[in-house]
Amino acid sequence: MTKVEVLIEGYATGHNDVEKISPSVVLIETDKNKIIVDPGFNRKELMDALAHKNIATSQVDFVILTHTHLDHCLLVGAFENAIILDSSDQFFQNGEIKSQDEHTLGHSIQIIKTPGHDQFHCSVAINTDDMGTVVIAGDIFWWTSDTEPSKDYDTLLALNDQYVKDKDALIESRKIVLQIADYIIPGHGKMFKNICK
Ligand SMILES: [Zn+2]
């Protein structure tokens, strides 16, 4: 049994010179593990969301970072017992680093390299019982709260990303996600059903 739940729906708004931002903060629960993807940087919002689920920071087994932009990763240290995963490695809090392998998270969860927004960006694909394949796409897909796009293939491939590092790689990464996902959780924005699969 593998479940995915959006704890904080990612958003990005701007008023005057102040941006207000949160990434999508996602909880994955398997029979063995509690996993947080992108803890974000708003401590109160994160702690409130965990408290609401009755989860202590010490109970979280893994934290996956889609990329290391501070708005997505600043609070990674809040989980005192967690192993931290990026696109390829596992960071243990005793200072050890090891490569990931197929046993790290089990068969229902896959970390996929999706470069473009950032060179080491990854997405997380989860096979669920109730929603098919859910992909936590980080900033492969994101938009500001006032620019919610339509969800057709061409629009999604062409989404503007003002922070893109490698545009060609980003488009390839978007194609991969659109090929496998039944549902997509963007870095900032509401989860949506992938009608392009
Ligand atoms: Zn972001």
Side-chain angles (χ1 to χ4, degrees):
M1 175 85 182
T2 303
K3 275 194 328 194
V4 178
E5 187 178 345
V6 177
L7 291 187
I8 300 171
E9 189 173 275
Y11 56 84
T13 57
H15 289 294
N16 301 322
D17 286 339
V18 182
E19 287 178 278
K20 177 105 166 109
I21 291 179
S22 175
S24 296
V25 179
V26 183
L27 171 68
I28 307 169
E29 289 183 283
T30 69
D31 293 334
K32 275 167 58 184
N33 294 315
K34 291 189 198 317
I35 301 159
I36 294 285
V37 183
D38 283 359
F41 71 116
N42 185 327
R43 185 175 293 271
K44 181 171 185 325
E45 216 174 30
L46 176 66
M47 293 307 154
D48 287 352
L50 291 169
H52 188 73
K53 291 290 298 174
N54 268 322
I55 295 173
T57 53
S58 60
Q59 293 176 296
V60 172
D61 303 287
F62 293 93
V63 177
I64 304 174
L65 303 175
T66 60
H67 61 300
T68 53
H69 290 169
L70 280 178
D71 59 325
H72 290 254
C73 74
L74 185 77
L75 289 170
V76 64
F79 301 92
E80 54 267 54
N81 297 322
I83 298 166
I84 314 304
L85 306 180
D86 65 2
S87 60
S88 55
D89 291 324
Q90 355 183 17
F91 296 77
F92 296 82
Q93 296 200 31
N94 65 2
E96 290 177 4
I97 303 176
K98 286 184 204 161
S99 301
Q100 294 165 26
D101 58 42
E102 69 269 28
H103 304 298
T104 304
L105 293 170
H107 292 296
S108 60
I109 304 171
Q110 231 194 329
I111 293 178
I112 306 163
K113 291 183 169 70
T114 47
H117 177 79
D118 175 80
Q119 190 187 351
F120 300 107
H121 191 287
C122 63
S123 299
V124 186
I126 307 112
N127 289 324
T128 67
D129 298 334
D130 49 345
M131 297 173 73
T133 300
V134 179
V135 175
I136 303 166
D139 284 348
I140 294 306
F141 296 107
W142 75 275
W143 45 83
T144 54
S145 301
D146 55 353
T147 58
E148 173 96 30
S150 65
K151 307 300 186 301
D152 61 277
Y153 194 72
D154 292 342
T155 304
L156 289 172
L157 276 197
L159 275 183
N160 181 48
D161 177 3
Q162 58 180 305
Y163 302 111
V164 65
K165 285 271 163 50
D166 180 337
K167 203 168 174 184
D168 293 338
L170 177 62
I171 289 172
E172 288 312 305
S173 294
R174 286 175 175 168
K175 286 179 182 168
I176 291 171
V177 172
L178 290 171
Q179 230 164 52
I180 62 172
D182 292 298
Y183 285 88
I184 295 173
I185 301 174
H188 311 269
K190 231 187 195 6
M191 176 163 66
F192 62 96
K193 188 167 171 48
N194 176 24
I195 55 169
C196 314
K197 190 178 172 182

